[in-house]
Amino acid sequence: MTKLIGGKDRSDYRAMSTQGLIEEAKYYPSVELCIALAERLDDKQRKLEGYHYDMAAERHGSDY
């Protein structure tokens, strides 16, 4: 694993809080940070879609 001096790798970013990632993006943007943010966004989107389907099923009285 290669690490830039003063930089973080993707594993470091994955371990950070969402607020920490936002602050990092404001002041120290990098490719690895962009990838970690995209992964976080994808995960949140999948959870939101799952919630949407759960709510739709509940409204229609279905147990998916």
Side-chain angles (χ1 to χ4, degrees), residues 4-22:
L4 300 173
I5 296 173
K8 292 183 173 90
D9 66 19
R10 205 173 310 162
S11 296
D12 294 328
Y13 290 126
R14 287 176 179 150
M16 292 176 69
S17 69
T18 300
Q19 188 59 42
L21 289 173
I22 291 168

Side-chain angles (χ1 to χ4, degrees), residues 13 23-34 37:
Y13 290 126
E23 290 300 312
E24 191 83 10
K26 288 179 186 177
Y27 303 106
Y28 307 105
S30 71
V31 172
E32 291 299 311
L33 175 57
C34 288
L37 282 167

Side-chain angles (χ1 to χ4, degrees), residues 48-62 64:
L48 185 59
E49 287 172 356
Y51 176 76
H52 170 75
Y53 290 124
D54 290 347
M55 292 302 295
E58 192 174 301
R59 273 195 307 269
H60 296 287
S62 176
Y64 277 82

